[in-house]
Amino acid sequence: MTRRIALHQLSNIASNAVSIAHDDERQRIAVCTSDGRVVFYRLDTAGEWVEDTASADFFNTILASHRQKDYKLDVTAAFFFEYVFLSIGCMFGLSNGDNVAIVLVDIKQQVHRLVAHGSRLSTNAKPIGTRLGLIYCPLSDGIAALRHPQYELAWLDLPDGGDPWTLISPRGLSYLPQTNQLVVLDSVESEPDRIRVYTLDSQGKSIGRSDYNLCEWGVNCRGLVANPHSGEVAYVLSEDDWIVSGVVATGMVLPFATFCVHPVGGEPRRIPLLGVAGINVGFRPTLDYQFTKGAPPSYVIYQAEEEFYTSILIPLDEHRYWLSVPGGTLCEIDTRSGSQATIHQFPSAITAMCHLVNLSSVCVGLKTGDLFLVRYTADV
């Protein structure tokens, strides 16, 4: 099966997108930027996406009220029932002295409500499992949940022995609706990354937990996502750099990471991810090969655009995923055949993606600030 796409540039937001959210019911898009703004778009009656400056102005006024001096804010947004869930953070502190504030915003009524704040909260918090009416919040020493509509903070789980642990990725939480399980990427310094799977009751409380070590220490886990179509968990394992023997030249295709599909309770299936030298991965000769006469050729391979790169996975169906690859490449992985196909090569690194499920589209944000809509169709 091949994939046909139609590419449409939405706009340029002047700084790169760090997260993108879509409201399937009301057809709105919220884009959070690296300079601490929120940009909104809505679908008009003609079926065109237009910028919603009134909503953006309202949200940016809220952000300004939490800003201390001119410090940059870390902002994520998500649609939750009739609200927009806004997570605001600053490493130097917000105006109230805390590091993180969680705000629920009603765009229609133009009102907002502070539902949680504190130095232990994380801006990684986001709504998971809307049918439970919960927002899960990673803390510095565990996980808490906010329940709609009271929004009182309650513990989900305390780590064994009370040792602190943190979540390292905005995509570090995901949800499996078939089995009512919360999937968490857990990282502890000097220990391998691991997945924690919490089985929840009808109230969203943990009634059991299973842990899965992912890799050896020094290998990074990125892009954790639960596939609602298959009930599996997918992620990417990669190293910052590694050495290969032989000559490496621009344009060569090299394996640079591993795509994993992990059935809960089973063993992961591993698919090598391929990249093009000079586009998706960088390379340089090792010191031995460069300075030692007669040494066999060997090269250091490293991730291109590492400072902007985070693997972003979007499950399209039971077997197919879209994946952002370093260097601005959008790929499709088919887990049945293990095949990898390039959907589109963008001119800059991909920094955020969001699946517009009802519109068969994906919104893609680039390092340059450009936003694109990629509409897909399947063709046999």
Side-chain angles (χ1 to χ4, degrees):
M1 179 171 293
T2 59
R3 186 77 67 186
R4 291 179 178 174
I5 67 165
L7 193 67
H8 169 67
Q9 184 167 0
L10 196 59
S11 68
N12 185 289
I13 56 175
S15 61
N16 62 282
V18 294
S19 69
I20 305 173
H22 176 237
D23 184 349
D24 284 324
E25 182 177 347
R26 299 167 184 85
Q27 296 305 336
R28 298 178 296 187
I29 294 174
V31 182
C32 297
T33 69
S34 58
D35 58 357
R37 296 178 293 120
V38 183
V39 182
F40 278 88
Y41 299 87
R42 59 179 175 81
L43 201 61
D44 66 12
T45 54
E48 298 291 332
W49 286 100
V50 295
E51 190 168 350
D52 184 353
T53 55
S55 294
D57 290 344
F58 176 52
F59 272 77
N60 290 315
T61 298
I62 297 172
L63 294 176
S65 70
H66 288 274
R67 190 188 306 272
Q68 179 185 190
K69 299 181 179 179
D70 58 351
Y71 296 143
K72 184 181 78 71
L73 298 178
D74 298 316
V75 183
T76 58
F79 294 97
F80 190 63
F81 294 95
E82 68 272 27
Y83 301 105
V84 176
F85 164 79
L86 195 61
S87 183
I88 309 165
C90 179
M91 65 180 298
F92 301 109
L94 302 173
S95 58
N96 64 358
D98 290 320
N99 290 99
V100 175
I102 297 176
V103 180
L104 286 182
V105 185
D106 188 325
I107 296 180
K108 185 176 181 181
Q109 300 298 326
Q110 293 282 285
V111 294
H112 60 94
R113 173 187 173 190
L114 179 66
V115 295
H117 60 92
S119 298
R120 296 166 63 201
L121 286 169
S122 167
T123 53
N124 295 347
K126 61 181 179 179
I128 297 290
T130 302
R131 71 183 178 89
L132 297 175
L134 292 176
I135 299 171
Y136 287 102
C137 306
L139 307 180
S140 60
D141 53 358
I143 303 176
L146 291 163
R147 178 174 296 282
H148 174 80
Q150 296 83 10
Y151 299 110
E152 295 177 353
L153 206 62
W155 284 99
L156 173 71
D157 178 77
L158 285 172
D160 297 333
D163 294 330
W165 60 280
T166 57
L167 306 175
I168 62 173
S169 168
R171 286 157 294 278
L173 289 85
S174 200
Y175 177 71
L176 287 168
Q178 302 98 320
T179 52
N180 197 26
Q181 290 176 310
L182 180 69
V183 183
V184 179
L185 175 61
D186 178 22
S187 179
V188 180
E189 187 176 356
S190 301
E191 293 185 14
D193 289 346
R194 61 184 173 184
I195 291 176
R196 283 182 162 178
V197 180
Y198 296 88
T199 300
L200 308 176
D201 64 15
S202 60
Q203 300 301 309
K205 296 181 179 180
S206 174
I207 56 176
R209 191 188 78 200
S210 301
D211 292 350
Y212 303 92
N213 289 330
L214 299 182
C215 51
E216 297 179 355
W217 182 78
V219 178
N220 304 306
C221 177
R222 297 184 170 102
L224 177 77
V225 65
N227 188 335
H229 309 287
S230 66
E232 297 174 317
V233 178
Y235 49 89
V236 172
L237 299 178
S238 65
E239 299 179 70
D240 291 335
D241 57 60
W242 61 99
I243 296 175
V244 298
S245 300
V247 175
V248 176
T250 300
M252 289 182 61
V253 177
L254 301 168
F256 74 94
T258 303
F259 180 87
C260 300
V261 180
H262 198 150
V264 175
E267 292 296 320
R269 303 193 305 277
R270 301 174 184 267
I271 300 171
L273 287 179
L274 304 177
V276 178
I279 297 177
N280 307 122
V281 294
F283 61 95
R284 62 179 183 271
T286 62
L287 294 179
D288 281 348
Y289 179 49
Q290 193 171 7
F291 296 110
T292 304
K293 185 177 180 179
S298 59
Y299 282 77
V300 177
I301 307 300
Y302 55 91
Q303 300 271 345
E305 307 263 18
E306 181 63 26
E307 65 273 25
F308 291 98
Y309 172 59
T310 298
S311 294
I312 307 169
L313 302 176
I314 292 178
L316 299 182
D317 57 31
E318 187 176 355
H319 305 290
R320 294 181 181 84
Y321 294 80
W322 275 14
L323 165 70
S324 66
V325 173
T329 307
L330 178 62
C331 291
E332 180 171 310
I333 303 294
D334 189 322
T335 60
R336 291 171 299 184
S337 61
S339 62
Q340 175 181 335
T342 297
I343 297 298
H344 188 75
Q345 178 63 53
F346 289 98
S348 179
I350 298 171
T351 59
M353 294 200 305
C354 178
H355 194 190
L356 283 58
V357 178
N358 294 344
L359 302 177
S360 299
S361 301
V362 172
C363 186
V364 179
L366 304 184
K367 172 186 169 184
T368 55
D370 293 313
L371 288 176
F372 289 88
L373 283 176
V374 186
R375 183 173 176 83
Y376 59 86
T377 58
D379 180 44
V380 180

